[in-house]
Amino acid sequence: MSRTWLLRLVIAFSFAQGAVSMARPAVSYRALALGADERAVGVIAGVYALLPLFAAVPLGRRTDHGRCAPLLPVGVALIAGGCALSGGAGSLVWMAAWSGVMGLGHLCFVIGAQSIVARQSAPEDQDRNFGHFTIGASLGQLVGPIAAGALIDGYDMAATSALALLVSAGVCALSFTSLWRIETRRTGEGARPKEASKVPVHRILRTRGVPGGIFISLAVLSATDILTAYLPVVGEHRGIAPSVIGVLLSLRAGATVACRLVMTPLINWLGRTALIATTCLLAAVLCAGIALPVPVWALGVMLVVLGFCLGVGQPLSMTTVVQAAPDEARSTALALRLTGNRLGQVAAPASAGLIAGVAGTAAPFVMLGGLLFVAAGLGVRGGRGRGAKSGVAQGRKAPAPRSGQPEGERQRH
């Protein structure tokens, strides 16, 4: 089957994620210009994930019942609207509200897009296709902060951050150019609404591999999110210009793109379990290291290595959750993973704001180090639990079934 649908999905995701990655630091700078302190910046960053926290599972159920593609234009419209309205907001309350709209739009897009990848990929192709899909996010994270840093001027932060938010709305609108014929086939998972509705959430959450995959994704995304939201605050305290902060964030994103381009060889070399555990552990050390008053060049090196490590967790946690969940509730399982992500995006920035207010702006990165350390342990534990799983679940193709082999035996292989 032609994979042009995946290319178009990556292009659309690049524009949507680029807009979000441009808007997130712009929101932080605009909030600072409106008089916000570290706590307020943390609250506004947390509101971004608040609406998605309650909407993820219903949207996943709806996607299990039918088509995924309609969520994509809805998500683009909400992201663009949230960016534009944030640029015109004159108070911290409205900044938080429109940040929540932006987050809801991002959730809609990601649930629809991830479900399309899961639905249209063969099991042995899921690691590769999810890795390629997340390249779209990394490309957006690469370009977005540079664009924001180029537009935002420290001497007129209020006006230039508003301009950056309006530009990000226009960037997001470009996603519409690729949203055509992405959902190219229907599979059994999307055509059985009655079966999908019978799978309770607690059963999905008790499935081996799902909780660990959710927590790993939560920890990795929290690290990316707090880096995006709080590195500008660290820059302000250390006297680093917004343009330099934008370059540093983009270096991290560029390393993540590089990681995902070589994802399949890395899995074949180390195996999924060792790859997840090693990268989470190294990322924990590097996140904690950001708290140290290192020079800018050293901070850049740390962020490059950190970006490479953080590039592993998201695509492999998607594959882990999809392959562990019941076939008729894969979109719901992905939505639960996103619910965990959004819970982390609510709790982590709010906690980071409180910690920063008490212990300083670098302290949240120590907290991230602890989260990633726990994720590394769960990665090892989950890998041991899946030791009897198939080669597909470990990132290798399963052996071809012998001729005449019964269907039940084929499925077990």
Side-chain angles (χ1 to χ4, degrees):
M1 189 183 71
S2 172
R3 292 176 62 207
T4 58
W5 64 269
L6 183 57
L7 176 60
R8 293 196 301 275
L9 190 60
V10 169
I11 292 171
F13 196 22
S14 297
F15 285 123
Q17 186 63 54
V20 171
S21 298
M22 186 177 179
R24 297 302 299 283
V27 164
S28 295
Y29 281 120
R30 182 157 177 80
L32 290 171
L34 293 175
D37 58 10
E38 290 87 353
R39 293 183 182 89
V41 171
V43 170
I44 291 172
V47 172
Y48 171 84
L50 189 60
L51 286 176
L53 185 62
F54 300 102
V57 172
L59 285 173
R61 292 289 195 196
R62 178 239 171 254
T63 306
D64 275 323
H65 287 199
R67 297 179 65 236
C68 313
L71 283 178
L72 304 185
V74 172
V76 171
L78 289 173
I79 293 170
C83 291
L85 292 167
S86 293
S91 70
L92 296 179
V93 172
W94 282 112
M95 287 289 297
W98 299 130
S99 180
V101 171
M102 192 193 313
L104 181 61
H106 190 259
L107 175 81
C108 291
F109 189 98
V110 171
I111 284 182
Q114 288 182 6
S115 298
I116 287 172
V117 176
R119 191 172 289 185
Q120 298 191 176
S121 302
E124 65 271 16
D125 294 333
Q126 284 176 349
D127 279 328
R128 182 195 64 196
N129 287 355
F130 275 123
H132 289 173
F133 165 70
T134 52
I135 287 174
S138 300
L139 289 173
Q141 292 167 356
L142 172 65
V143 177
I146 288 180
L151 289 172
I152 298 171
D153 186 346
Y155 294 102
D156 191 6
M157 196 177 292
T160 54
S161 60
L163 175 63
L165 286 164
L166 293 175
V167 171
S168 67
V171 170
C172 186
L174 293 174
S175 297
F176 285 117
T177 61
S178 296
L179 297 180
W180 49 278
R181 291 183 59 81
I182 284 180
E183 194 169 18
T184 58
R185 71 180 183 186
R186 295 288 300 278
T187 61
E189 294 94 332
R192 293 180 293 183
K194 291 183 180 179
E195 291 184 26
S197 63
K198 292 180 181 179
V199 182
V201 169
H202 65 82
R203 175 187 158 192
I204 300 172
L205 289 175
R206 287 205 305 264
T207 304
R208 183 184 296 275
V210 171
I214 289 173
F215 188 87
I216 290 168
S217 179
L218 180 156
V220 170
L221 186 64
S222 294
T224 304
D225 209 50
I226 290 179
L227 275 172
T228 303
Y230 265 84
L231 206 58
V233 180
V234 171
E236 281 290 297
H237 281 260
R238 296 185 185 177
I240 304 173
S243 58
V244 176
I245 292 295
V247 171
L248 291 174
L249 288 171
S250 294
L251 285 173
R252 182 210 61 78
T256 299
V257 172
C259 170
R260 288 166 181 172
L261 287 172
V262 296
M263 182 75 69
T264 300
L266 286 174
I267 294 171
N268 292 336
W269 178 40
L270 293 174
R272 182 183 297 150
T273 299
L275 186 59
I276 290 177
T278 302
T279 53
C280 284
L281 184 60
L282 184 55
V285 175
L286 290 168
C287 275
I290 294 175
L292 301 175
V294 297
V296 173
W297 68 265
L299 187 59
V301 172
M302 292 168 64
L303 286 171
V304 167
V305 181
L306 178 59
F308 192 91
C309 293
L310 293 178
V312 170
Q314 291 294 341
L316 293 194
S317 68
M318 292 177 201
T319 307
T320 299
V321 169
V322 164
Q323 292 183 352
D327 288 346
E328 65 274 18
R330 287 179 172 178
S331 292
T332 303
L334 285 170
L336 286 169
R337 174 185 167 277
L338 290 171
T339 300
N341 287 353
R342 295 307 185 257
L343 180 61
Q345 286 183 301
V346 170
S351 301
L354 292 174
I355 293 171
V358 173
T361 56
F365 297 102
V366 178
M367 179 192 75
L368 288 179
L371 273 178
L372 289 164
F373 183 79
V374 174
L378 287 175
V380 173
R381 181 181 179 185
R384 288 174 180 169
R386 292 193 303 272
K389 292 277 185 179
S390 68
V392 170
Q394 294 296 323
R396 300 182 298 271
K397 287 189 177 182
R402 295 185 299 272
S403 175
Q405 196 172 15
E407 181 64 28
E409 291 297 315
R410 294 185 190 186
Q411 291 177 353
R412 283 194 291 272
H413 284 286

